[in-house]
Amino acid sequence: MAYVDLVVLLVLIVIVIIYSKRFQTYIFGFGMIDILFRILNIINGFIPIKEVRTFINTYIPESVPGVINVYTKGVFNTVLIWAYVVIMAVFLYYVIRIFIKRKKI
């Protein structure tokens, strides 16, 4: 039961890889996974139902960097965190590019 959060993250990443064919879709999928984890953990703080909180605490990681920090140490951890930063920077670039192209609010 110790690796549940890692398994959930890996399964979601594999689904994104299987589903997508373009680099941009990989980046969007990765960004959506991290945002989903963060939103669920914020909501978890406001849910009074103990069973739901236990489920989220057990099966949903707090974020991608949280999983990286739990299961890696040293230089490998640093490399993975920087890879995460680069992926999220590319994600932000794509989001800003889409926002600028649409210009309609």
Side-chain angles (χ1 to χ4, degrees):
M1 199 69 133
Y3 296 105
V4 174
D5 53 352
L6 180 62
V7 171
V8 168
L9 175 62
L10 291 176
V11 166
L12 289 174
I13 289 174
V14 167
I15 290 170
V16 167
I17 290 171
I18 291 171
Y19 172 73
S20 59
K21 294 176 178 47
R22 296 180 359 199
F23 176 74
Q24 183 177 359
T25 311
Y26 295 136
I27 298 298
F28 277 123
F30 190 82
M32 289 185 302
I33 289 169
D34 191 49
I35 291 169
L36 173 68
F37 290 161
R38 290 172 186 269
I39 288 171
L40 288 174
N41 277 284
I42 289 171
I43 291 171
N44 189 32
F46 297 105
I47 294 176
I49 304 167
K50 185 177 187 221
E51 292 80 14
V52 174
R53 291 180 70 144
T54 303
F55 177 82
I56 291 174
N57 287 334
T58 304
Y59 296 109
I60 307 297
E62 67 180 35
S63 65
V64 173
V67 174
I68 292 170
N69 289 330
V70 167
Y71 295 107
T72 62
K73 302 263 185 270
V75 175
F76 188 58
N77 178 280
T78 304
V79 169
L80 288 177
I81 292 295
W82 275 107
Y84 168 80
V85 169
V86 168
I87 290 170
M88 293 308 284
V90 173
F91 173 74
L92 182 60
Y93 165 76
Y94 284 131
V95 169
I96 291 171
R97 194 174 92 188
I98 290 169
F99 182 75
I100 290 172
K101 276 185 179 180
R102 303 244 169 137
K103 290 186 185 179
K104 298 176 187 174
I105 297 179

